[in-house]
Amino acid sequence: QVQFVESGGASVQPGGSLRLACIASGSTFNYWSVGWYRQVPGKQRELVASVSRSSTTNYADSVKGRFTISRDNSKNTAYLQMNSLKPEDTAVYYCNFPNSVRPWGQGTQVTVSS
């Protein structure tokens, strides 16, 4: 069973940057698109960025131009570089396979506040 471990979250000021990492266990990482999601209390989890097997990327309008998703298949790892952070980016961030959702990891908290 695939397990995801997210890391890199922190508290930052508006305009700051963070780089999140997601390590997936198992041998199927290379076969699937990988997505970064975020969730705030009381709201549904939303997909903010995804990267396909061929490294084609897609972004939610709310993060386009500020976030960059990438993957390193040799390390079973996906990254989310977040720049120009805004208070509305505050959330718990998770990764998963959008086309084959597996059990969720613990996520990593990102807080953007002055």
Side-chain angles (χ1 to χ4, degrees):
Q1 183 66 284
V2 175
Q3 291 185 319
F4 298 102
V5 179
E6 300 91 351
S7 64
S11 293
V12 297
Q13 293 188 339
S17 297
L18 285 174
R19 189 191 194 207
L20 307 184
C22 163
I23 299 176
S25 65
S27 59
T28 60
F29 183 85
N30 294 1
Y31 294 106
W32 300 104
S33 294
V34 182
W36 278 97
Y37 300 74
R38 66 186 182 189
Q39 187 171 29
V40 298
K43 290 191 175 182
Q44 282 195 327
R45 192 173 282 143
E46 64 167 335
L47 178 65
V48 297
S50 64
V51 56
S52 72
R53 292 173 56 184
S54 59
S55 295
T56 300
T57 57
N58 284 285
Y59 298 93
D61 288 343
S62 58
V63 307
K64 202 169 292 184
R66 300 187 298 120
F67 290 10
T68 302
I69 188 171
S70 60
R71 65 190 295 165
D72 184 340
N73 290 337
S74 69
K75 297 180 179 179
N76 276 20
T77 300
Y79 302 97
L80 187 68
Q81 177 67 43
M82 305 188 296
N83 299 328
S84 303
L85 283 162
K86 304 176 180 180
E88 51 263 43
D89 295 319
T90 295
V92 179
Y93 284 73
Y94 304 85
C95 62
N96 215 309
F97 301 147
N99 298 323
S100 181
V101 177
R102 307 302 171 91
W104 296 93
Q106 84 288 349
T108 187
Q109 175 71 49
V110 172
T111 302
V112 185
S113 173
S114 56

